[in-house]
Structure formats: structure tokens, C-alpha cells
Amino acid sequence: ECKSLTKITYADGITNIANTLFYNCDGLTTITIPETVTTIGEKTFYSCSSLAEVTMYKNVEKINGSAFDKCTALTDVYYTGSEEDWKAMIVRSSNDPLLNANIHYNYVPKTTTTFGDVDCDGKVDILDIIVLNRNLLGSGELTAQGRVNADVNRNNKPDADDSLNILKFLVKLTDKLPVA
């Protein structure tokens, strides 16, 4: 049992949350499942009786059996996808607390924007330009936060001008991002 664990926020990069990982963590009240997760294992949050709030990205494709079973306090799920996306997700049996919670569709998580940090690693460097350019050429995806961070010219879409402005920032031709 883990009574002192109250909140979980995963780092990006994981795709699966293991079976029974937080089984019976009755002190857990909130969890943010990262954007990269596609599968939640069996009984992952089973009997987390204080879990009241879950934030989940639309990339979750499958929630295995009893993942949220016996989560009696679960009232709110903040989901970044649409109601249609939610209905397309595979949710195995015994997840009634999740399914009966108030689902907030099209939720936009509160985040800190670091303009220029396209790969969301906490710093602005040449890798951000590479990641952005790969995306612009169609050979790489950006996370939702990466798209926000990339839009340094604030025209609501990452583009080649953003890449150039990040480069100008790195070589000290401009002293701040975003650009005016």
C-alpha cells in the first residue's frame, strides 16, 4: 500500500503504464497521464479510493480491465480529445468509475510555454530547429506543447519563419522569443 503518494505526473516518453503499478494507492488523488501513453494496464489504479481527478490525452487507445475499478472518489476526467475520440477508445470491463465520471472533452492542459523549445526538453538549442524542420517536411510529429513552443512568430502554426527565428535567437541576432 502507498498511502503517502497523492499526485502523479509522468514524464513524456512512456507509452504504457504497467499492470497494477498503483494498485491500492489510497492516498492518490490526481494523476496526469502523459501525451505519449497509448495503453493503461490492467488494475493499474485499482482501488485507489481517493483518486478524484484524471487528466488524459487523446492518444490513449486502450484502457485494460479494472484499470480504474474501485476508484470510488473519481469524479472528473479531463480529456484532450473529442467525445467521438473518447468513444473510439477501447475500454475493457470493470472500469465503471472512469466511465461514470464527468468527462471534460477537448480539455487544454495548463502548461508553461518556453518559446523555441520545440522538443520540450527544457532548453532551446539546435535540436529544436531540427525537430521543427523534420515536422515541416512531414517526417516527424510535434507534441501539442511542442507546437505551441514552436510558434515563435505567434501566427498559430509552426512554419519555416519560426525555424528561422529560433536560429536567429541561437546565433544572437535576436535576444528574445517570441518575436514581435
Side-chain angles (χ1 to χ4, degrees), residues 65-167:
S66 300
F68 292 92
D69 197 19
K70 310 253 188 256
C71 294
T72 55
L74 186 55
T75 56
D76 292 287
V77 176
Y78 296 91
Y79 181 65
T80 64
S82 66
E83 185 173 1
E84 185 176 288
D85 295 327
W86 179 263
K87 289 178 179 176
M89 184 174 23
I90 298 167
V91 181
R92 301 282 187 219
S93 64
S94 299
N95 279 299
D96 293 340
L98 178 76
L99 298 173
N100 293 330
N102 185 19
I103 312 296
H104 304 271
Y105 301 107
N106 300 309
Y107 176 71
V108 177
K110 295 177 182 126
T111 57
T112 302
T113 301
T114 304
F115 285 104
D117 183 17
V118 180
D119 61 3
C120 301
D121 67 351
K123 60 186 181 285
V124 179
D125 58 21
I126 193 68
L127 291 177
D128 295 299
I129 297 170
I130 293 168
V131 169
L132 176 54
N133 287 344
R134 288 187 70 209
N135 172 261
L136 295 174
L137 293 171
S139 64
E141 290 295 319
L142 301 179
T143 65
Q145 188 60 48
R147 285 188 297 278
V148 171
N149 293 353
D151 187 25
V152 299
N153 64 9
R154 297 182 138 180
N155 67 352
N156 296 318
K157 61 180 171 87
D159 56 27
D161 286 339
D162 294 312
S163 181
L164 180 60
N165 284 316
I166 295 169
L167 179 60

